[in-house]
Amino acid sequence: MSQMSKQAEPAKHSLVVVASRLPVDRAEGPDGAEEWQQSPGGLVTALEPVMREAGGVWIGWSGDAGPAPGPFEADGLHLIGLGLSEDEVSDYYEGFCNATLWPLYHDVIASPQFHRHWWDAYVTVNQRFAQAAAEQAAPGATVWVHDYQLQLVPRLLRELRNDVRIGFFNHIPFPGYEIFAQLPWRRQVILGLLGADLLGFQRRADATNFLRACRRAVGLTTKGSTVRVGEPGGTREIQAAAFPISIDAASLTEIAQRDEVRKRSREIRQAIGEPSIVLLGVDRLDYTKGILHRLRAYGELVDEGRLGQRVVLIQVASPSRERVEAYQTLRDEVEVIVGRINGQHGELGYAPVDYLHQSFPREEMAALYLTADVMLVTPLRDGMNLVAKEYVATRYDEGGTLVLSEFTGAADELLAGAFLVNPHDIEGLKDTIVRAATANPAEARRRMRSMRRRVREHDVARWAASFLDALGRGPGGGGGPNLGGEPANLAEEPEIS
Ligand code: G6P
């Protein structure tokens, strides 16, 4: 981990964001030339204002195999595109990130595979990101590293640049120790993360799992949310706490209120033939999302006629990680069950499941959310699930109900308004869908209002501000970009080792 060149180029930026992906996608312009378009992700929306203010830079991968696009600007943002070779896409991205860490961190819903050459690729790519961050950071800069693909970057960067303040945010769950302990490189991963000054997780339970892993895998002492690490220069204290991520609620509400979006919603309802109830699922086609369980429950409800005559489930399943075997198997299984339900219960001009293996622009998504009577967000495990929050932000009309899995980070925040469910319990799932579909309108409205308040008040700007503020305030913090965030929930608890 330490054979990198220590000769950093002249330092440049006071804020450096390091994420697996760039916040832009490669697209073809009108004249056929290549151009970059801002991707719709929430992270870039959250960080754009502070990036602009601080003259920040974003380091990430473009998503294609091949040479690095290098530094460029898009929409006034400074971007550094790093390259991954074909082998690295297969060993680092599809392999270690998405066939080892992803299933392991999502409670082994699929079996994680452990291969030493995948780990080697993970180390190499993490070194590349750390080196790029070291080259871009101004003296004393704030560097914010994101997600499970880059867990070694905090340590590698600290070895290169001890002067910078390092934050890390894990967007996915951090598993219980009994599961995490399976990872042959568990110690290296924990030590990699502990290069940071502040570690952010979606839920308190994720931070607790991480603190336990520090004690068990590395033998460190923790006190409350603080981990103590002995280093050559003395003891360093690292904070690990929950910072639940959110969305740009105001902008989604604004999109949903546009005339053309409301018109589109009416068109969708007409096109599907005015059924009695419209249910909606919106997911990346991923085995963590519980799509098969949902379809099983829905198929039985249609069989039993419990949702009336012409019910429709619109299931958007956007293509994801299509070369990874578990994703290919899932797609086959989903398509078989959709075909079975439609074959058995459809009529000419009517299919109970509208299955869309596609991605859509934000406006079309807003129109779909507005159309849904019941939104089904039923993952088996999910760090947060922003679809649940997007649905709520869209429903300015206070219409619609939300069925939400207990195993999402969003459930911690939306529990007062959502119809919570254990997606493994098919009978419970069926009953909850029926309850949500037939809820008393006044109760449904009260529930939606309470969820909307939460999402409006805890938006993505507040999330970014509270993380960066806590990063700036920690021991040795030089202040950091202050965005007026709330204090982090750093609990006082006894020392444990
Ligand atoms: C999750 C992860 C992100 C990831 C995204 C899409 O939300 O937390 O880090 O970028 O899925 O997955 P992909 O493999 O396409 O980057």
Side-chain angles (χ1 to χ4, degrees):
M1 279 202 199
S2 53
Q3 75 260 47
M4 281 180 290
S5 153
K6 299 219 172 191
Q7 274 161 14
E9 279 174 17
K12 293 170 190 154
H13 300 276
S14 63
L15 175 64
V16 181
V17 172
V18 191
S20 164
R21 286 185 181 270
L22 287 172
V24 289
D25 296 318
R26 224 189 283 260
E28 206 174 285
D31 51 357
E34 178 183 275
E35 62 176 35
W36 295 92
Q37 285 173 356
Q38 191 164 316
S39 43
L43 195 55
V44 63
T45 323
L47 296 179
E48 205 182 318
V50 57
M51 290 267 295
R52 285 190 201 287
E53 198 182 309
V57 68
W58 186 305
I59 298 171
W61 171 50
S62 67
D64 301 316
F72 62 104
E73 291 213 2
D75 275 343
L77 293 177
H78 302 292
L79 307 173
I80 308 279
L82 299 186
L84 295 185
S85 67
E86 288 281 1
D87 282 352
E88 285 167 346
V89 171
S90 139
D91 294 347
Y92 155 79
Y93 170 70
E94 291 162 351
F96 200 77
C97 292
N98 291 318
T100 305
L101 292 175
W102 183 268
L104 187 76
Y105 282 32
H106 288 88
D107 288 355
V108 298
I109 296 166
S111 292
Q113 296 173 43
F114 303 115
H115 297 297
R116 284 166 284 182
H117 67 286
W118 287 2
W119 164 254
D120 294 342
Y122 187 73
V123 174
T124 303
V125 173
N126 272 248
Q127 283 172 335
R128 190 170 308 145
F129 276 80
Q131 179 72 46
E135 286 167 8
Q136 294 299 325
T142 296
V143 182
W144 193 357
V145 185
H146 290 268
D147 228 355
Y148 65 102
Q149 302 94 340
L150 300 174
Q151 293 173 104
L152 307 181
V153 169
R155 165 78 44 201
L156 292 164
L157 177 58
R158 187 164 292 284
E159 285 171 7
L160 293 167
R161 291 287 305 270
N162 203 16
D163 61 304
V164 297
R165 200 96 191 120
I166 306 172
F168 179 92
F169 185 76
N170 196 51
H171 291 248
I172 69 171
F174 197 91
Y177 188 67
E178 286 65 27
I179 290 178
F180 181 72
Q182 291 179 20
L183 185 67
W185 307 278
R186 61 195 186 194
R187 190 181 156 83
Q188 290 96 314
V189 166
I190 296 293
L191 291 174
L193 289 168
L194 288 172
D197 297 289
L198 174 65
L199 293 157
F201 296 89
Q202 299 282 24
R203 301 172 311 153
R204 207 175 262 270
D206 298 311
T208 307
N209 287 344
F210 170 78
L211 290 163
R212 182 144 183 261
C214 292
R215 300 193 292 271
R216 298 286 303 275
V218 191
L220 295 169
T221 301
T222 64
K223 183 173 185 229
S225 52
T226 306
V227 190
R228 293 219 185 94
V229 185
E231 289 182 355
T235 303
R236 219 163 45 82
E237 291 197 342
I238 295 118
Q239 303 293 322
F243 295 85
I245 198 171
S246 195
I247 55 162
D248 183 356
S251 108
L252 252 176
T253 304
E254 182 274 314
I255 291 175
Q257 285 171 325
R258 289 182 198 162
D259 286 347
E260 65 273 21
V261 171
R262 288 160 48 210
K263 180 161 163 268
R264 176 70 190 136
S265 164
R266 289 193 295 273
E267 277 168 15
I268 294 171
R269 207 170 247 276
Q270 270 163 14
I272 54 183
E274 298 286 350
S276 46
I277 300 170
V278 177
L279 311 180
L280 175 64
V282 172
D283 310 86
R284 267 187 316 103
L285 187 47
D286 192 297
Y287 49 81
T288 58
K289 304 293 183 183
I291 301 170
L292 289 173
H293 294 64
R294 188 184 310 158
L295 287 170
R296 209 160 289 148
Y298 176 71
E300 289 186 21
L301 285 175
V302 174
D303 254 344
E304 295 160 10
R306 284 174 69 190
L307 290 171
Q309 282 307 297
R310 280 173 78 93
V311 54
V312 163
L313 167 62
I314 303 174
Q315 177 63 57
V316 175
S318 50
S320 184
R321 306 173 189 166
E322 290 184 279
R323 297 200 318 189
V324 179
E325 197 185 335
Y327 290 76
Q328 294 168 350
T329 310
L330 175 71
R331 181 174 175 188
D332 290 345
E333 289 171 349
V334 165
E335 293 181 0
V336 164
I337 183 164
V338 167
R340 198 170 290 157
I341 297 171
N342 283 342
Q344 206 168 329
H345 296 285
E347 292 165 18
L348 283 176
Y350 164 67
V353 185
D354 265 326
Y355 167 72
L356 302 160
H357 184 240
Q358 298 161 45
S359 303
F360 295 97
R362 280 166 79 75
E363 290 74 15
E364 182 73 359
M365 292 313 304
L368 282 169
Y369 290 141
L370 273 183
T371 310
D373 298 307
V374 183
M375 181 81 212
L376 303 179
V377 178
T378 58
L380 306 179
R381 175 57 79 199
D382 209 331
M384 174 51 65
N385 197 290
L386 294 178
V387 165
K389 292 188 174 181
E390 285 175 5
Y391 176 64
V392 167
T394 303
R395 297 311 299 250
Y396 70 90
D397 60 347
E398 296 177 354
T401 50
L402 172 65
V403 172
L404 182 61
S405 163
E406 292 164 17
F407 306 119
T408 61
D412 284 15
E413 292 180 74
L414 302 180
L415 76 181
F419 289 82
L420 290 187
V421 74
N422 168 5
H424 295 278
D425 171 9
I426 301 294
E427 282 309 318
L429 185 50
K430 286 163 61 182
D431 291 345
T432 310
I433 293 173
V434 172
R435 272 207 304 132
T438 56
N440 163 304
E443 188 205 340
R445 236 165 238 288
R446 183 191 55 74
R447 284 172 175 264
M448 184 54 80
R449 256 200 301 275
S450 109
M451 293 191 288
R452 285 182 57 74
R453 198 174 315 119
R454 172 77 202 184
V455 172
R456 199 169 47 234
E457 287 170 6
H458 292 80
D459 68 356
V460 73
R462 181 163 170 176
W463 167 78
S466 71
F467 185 90
L468 287 171
D469 189 43
L471 181 57
R473 275 187 296 109
N482 190 342
L483 297 163
E486 66 199 53
N489 54 349
L490 309 175
E492 260 306 305
E493 278 164 38
E495 191 160 302
I496 314 175
S497 49

